[in-house]
Amino acid sequence: MCTSVNSDASAPLRIVVIGAGNVASHLAPAIESSGVGAVVQVYSRKLQSARELTRKLQNAQAIDSEAAICDDAEVYLVSLVDDAIGPLVSRMPKRGNALWLHTSGSVGMEVLAPMSERYGVFYPLQTFSKGVEVDVSKVPLFIEGCTSGVEEEIRRFATPVFSHIYHADSHTRRMMHISAVFACNFTNYLWTIASELLKKEDLPFEVLHPLLEETLKKAFAVSPEKGQTGPAVRGDLAIVNKHLSVLDGQSKEIYSLLSEAIISHHHSFGK
Amino acid sequence: MCTSVNSDASAPLRIVVIGAGNVASHLAPAIESSGVGAVVQVYSRKLQSARELTRKLQNAQAIDSEAAICDDAEVYLVSLVDDAIGPLVSRMPKRGNALWLHTSGSVGMEVLAPMSERYGVFYPLQTFSKGVEVDVSKVPLFIEGCTSGVEEEIRRFATPVFSHIYHADSHTRRMMHISAVFACNFTNYLWTIASELLKKEDLPFEVLHPLLEETLKKAFAVSPEKGQTGPAVRGDLAIVNKHLSVLDGQSKEIYSLLSEAIISHHHSFGK
């Protein structure tokens, strides 16, 4: 009962979304809004999560049973925690020649090979949290198809939704994902530490807002390397050590390691 | 020859700026533009640095000799690397009752006590780099005076320049400085790492811009703690380990330590 993606270019593609996490919750409504696809089912192990997502969709069914995943959709969009993708695929019967895509930065596309002759990757480089709106059209999307024809199909599918679509193979995508972990996830955790230090002084995180905006603006304007400031890049070890003396636990370890790294990065002329 | 700060409220205060680094280079022109002060001298160990700054000022003399620092200014603004402040003060003759201020987040105000009866701290919470414009009026300024009267004087001096002026004692100021090091300096270094990882894949840092903007927007909107995303907070150890396997050196150590910290911060329910 599989219909080729190309059978009727004007009708929205019938899509099954597997996973109802942060990424799926932003992609599925954006795909429907673009008109390129209609989500027919959202699968999640937690029915409640699937239902939360289907409430944002036009006519999708929420399911929590893998066996209930229909076999006649045209696109299966797998947006699960990375190490859940392989096990799911190993339990599912093959879905003819439907287009199978996953959204992971760090999993090779071959994990989907058992499902179909047509598979690939659909990786949006962005941080998504439920309840925080994102303009998906501005997000860079990195795609990879199992053949150049399939990649072209993926590109056509993505074009109504995304404005910036790039090819990336598995290695490049993984390195991009790692760089995003440093640039976004770790950065955000450093802000969490900063916010907790301020809270102990009864100061709100807001007091740092101008500093954070300026830091980002400067990194964009002159590159992060040239925009580096602070005690470590100045080689001001008296301050580094004074700061270490009032920190403890993991914050102290992080302060120490990052200061060492900045010093060795910026003061390694003689090496 | 010292004139009290209050002698003629309408005339600009005669200011000596000691130091010509990133902070001085932004503060001195902003103070002159506000009309509250006129910089008469800029001292730097490097005459070239002093001259670069005096070119942005109306009528200031560039000097590189401590002995040439005049004794009749009304405000001495010390903006040196932290561990240079004490040694400078110990070499300088006392300057009557002029107002002495330093701009450090991590040095107590008492370091200036040998110079004058009127001293305090003038700490702008911002990242400054030469050549990158900053709207100083939006920067939060943290002040402390050796007496409440002196603090009031510092506040009057700062009011034409800054819109957000707060009192902070040495302890609070230091904790704020430490939080700024995490939130700004360390964050910027993580962006440097990300940028280098991308460079190896021939990808420009710009590909991360939407992600970084969104990360900041989300941290402001819902707090960094609630906005945390990524493999570590999901407990996705397969990805964490896969990423570690392709990193080396300090980047690997940083990835490992920050992932552990995120996991223990967000998954410590049972502790």
Side-chain angles (χ1 to χ4, degrees):
Chain A
M1 276 287 288
C2 286
T3 319
S4 157
V5 166
N6 296 313
S7 64
D8 178 359
S10 63
L13 296 166
R14 290 166 52 79
I15 300 172
V16 170
V17 174
I18 299 177
N22 293 330
V23 176
S25 300
H26 285 83
L27 288 191
I31 289 169
E32 280 206 344
S33 300
S34 77
V36 75
V39 179
V40 292
Q41 288 183 321
V42 173
Y43 163 80
S44 169
R45 279 193 309 173
K46 296 181 198 157
L47 192 59
Q48 180 58 27
S49 302
R51 281 190 178 138
E52 274 172 30
L53 177 47
T54 57
R55 277 198 282 273
K56 296 194 218 160
L57 300 171
Q58 287 161 28
N59 200 20
Q61 176 194 17
I63 55 173
D64 62 355
S65 149
E66 286 175 19
I69 294 176
C70 73
D71 62 2
D72 63 349
E74 290 156 293
V75 180
Y76 291 81
L77 188 66
V78 182
S79 190
L80 295 172
V81 170
D82 291 13
D83 56 6
I85 302 175
L88 173 105
V89 163
S90 70
R91 290 189 302 265
M92 295 270 295
K94 192 166 174 172
R95 285 294 188 268
N97 70 343
L99 180 60
W100 277 73
L101 301 171
H102 75 63
T103 63
S104 165
S106 291
V107 175
M109 69 175 161
E110 294 71 23
V111 68
L112 297 176
M115 296 311 302
S116 172
E117 275 71 54
R118 293 164 46 243
Y119 58 88
V121 177
F122 197 84
Y123 172 55
L125 185 62
Q126 185 52 285
T127 170
F128 297 105
S129 291
K130 288 179 186 175
V132 181
E133 288 294 318
V134 171
D135 181 353
V136 171
S137 72
K138 292 188 180 153
V139 173
L141 180 77
F142 294 86
I143 60 169
E144 182 182 18
C146 60
T147 67
S148 58
V150 168
E151 183 154 321
E152 192 47 44
E153 264 190 85
I154 299 171
R155 190 176 292 274
R156 279 202 303 275
F157 173 55
T159 296
V161 190
F162 292 86
S163 305
H164 305 283
I165 303 170
Y166 308 91
H167 167 81
D169 65 16
S170 291
H171 171 76
T172 301
R173 195 168 60 246
R174 179 181 299 176
M175 296 315 290
M176 208 150 44
H177 188 200
I178 296 177
S179 77
V181 170
F182 278 98
C184 160
N185 306 148
F186 290 166
T187 285
N188 183 74
Y189 184 65
L190 296 180
W191 294 338
T192 304
I193 295 176
S195 145
E196 294 191 340
L197 290 169
L198 291 173
K199 202 181 287 172
K200 285 186 194 156
E201 304 301 317
D202 286 325
L203 284 164
F205 183 59
E206 283 70 22
V207 82
L208 289 176
H209 283 194
L211 176 65
L212 301 194
E213 281 169 350
E214 183 62 26
T215 306
L216 187 66
K217 192 182 113 193
K218 188 159 59 175
F220 285 4
V222 300
S223 89
E225 185 167 21
K226 288 185 189 151
Q228 186 67 54
T229 57
V233 73
R234 286 198 306 271
D236 196 340
L237 296 183
I239 293 301
V240 169
N241 289 324
K242 208 184 274 187
H243 286 178
L244 285 171
S245 74
V246 294
L247 289 168
D248 55 22
Q250 272 172 326
S251 301
K252 183 175 191 162
E253 281 181 71
I254 292 167
Y255 190 106
S256 173
L257 180 59
L258 287 170
S259 294
E260 278 170 32
I262 291 171
I263 290 167
S264 72
H265 183 101
H266 286 271
H267 296 270
S268 57
F269 313 111
K271 283 184 190 170
Chain B
M1 272 289 286
C2 287
T3 319
S4 156
V5 167
N6 298 312
S7 63
D8 178 356
S10 64
L13 296 166
R14 288 166 53 78
I15 300 172
V16 171
V17 175
I18 300 176
N22 293 330
V23 176
S25 300
H26 283 83
L27 288 190
I31 289 169
E32 280 206 345
S33 299
S34 77
V36 75
V39 179
V40 294
Q41 288 183 321
V42 173
Y43 162 82
S44 169
R45 280 194 307 173
K46 296 181 198 155
L47 192 58
Q48 180 58 27
S49 302
R51 281 189 178 140
E52 274 171 31
L53 177 47
T54 57
R55 276 199 284 273
K56 297 193 218 162
L57 300 170
Q58 287 161 28
N59 199 21
Q61 176 193 18
I63 55 173
D64 62 354
S65 150
E66 285 176 18
I69 293 175
C70 73
D71 63 1
D72 63 349
E74 291 156 293
V75 180
Y76 292 81
L77 188 64
V78 183
S79 190
L80 295 173
V81 169
D82 290 14
D83 56 5
I85 303 175
L88 173 105
V89 162
S90 71
R91 292 189 300 266
M92 294 272 293
K94 191 167 173 171
R95 287 293 189 269
N97 70 344
L99 180 60
W100 278 73
L101 301 171
H102 75 63
T103 63
S104 165
S106 291
V107 176
M109 68 175 162
E110 294 71 23
V111 70
L112 297 175
M115 297 311 301
S116 171
E117 275 72 52
R118 292 164 46 245
Y119 59 88
V121 178
F122 196 84
Y123 172 55
L125 184 61
Q126 187 51 286
T127 170
F128 297 105
S129 291
K130 288 178 187 175
V132 181
E133 288 294 318
V134 171
D135 181 353
V136 171
S137 71
K138 290 187 181 156
V139 173
L141 181 77
F142 293 86
I143 61 169
E144 182 182 17
C146 60
T147 66
S148 58
V150 168
E151 182 153 323
E152 192 46 43
E153 264 191 84
I154 300 170
R155 190 177 292 273
R156 280 202 302 275
F157 172 56
T159 297
V161 191
F162 292 87
S163 305
H164 304 283
I165 304 170
Y166 307 90
H167 166 81
D169 63 18
S170 291
H171 171 75
T172 301
R173 196 169 60 248
R174 179 181 299 176
M175 296 313 292
M176 210 148 44
H177 188 199
I178 297 176
S179 77
V181 170
F182 278 98
C184 161
N185 306 148
F186 290 166
T187 285
N188 184 74
Y189 184 65
L190 296 181
W191 295 337
T192 304
I193 296 176
S195 145
E196 294 190 339
L197 290 170
L198 290 174
K199 202 181 289 172
K200 285 185 197 159
E201 305 301 316
D202 286 325
L203 284 164
F205 184 58
E206 283 70 22
V207 81
L208 288 176
H209 283 195
L211 177 64
L212 300 192
E213 282 169 349
E214 183 62 28
T215 306
L216 187 66
K217 193 181 114 192
K218 187 158 64 174
F220 286 4
V222 300
S223 90
E225 186 168 20
K226 287 184 190 152
Q228 186 68 53
T229 56
V233 72
R234 286 200 303 273
D236 196 339
L237 296 183
I239 294 301
V240 169
N241 289 325
K242 208 184 273 186
H243 287 179
L244 286 171
S245 73
V246 295
L247 291 168
D248 55 22
Q250 272 172 326
S251 301
K252 184 175 190 160
E253 281 182 71
I254 292 167
Y255 190 107
S256 173
L257 180 58
L258 287 170
S259 294
E260 278 171 31
I262 291 172
I263 291 166
S264 72
H265 183 101
H266 286 271
H267 296 271
S268 57
F269 313 110
K271 283 183 190 169

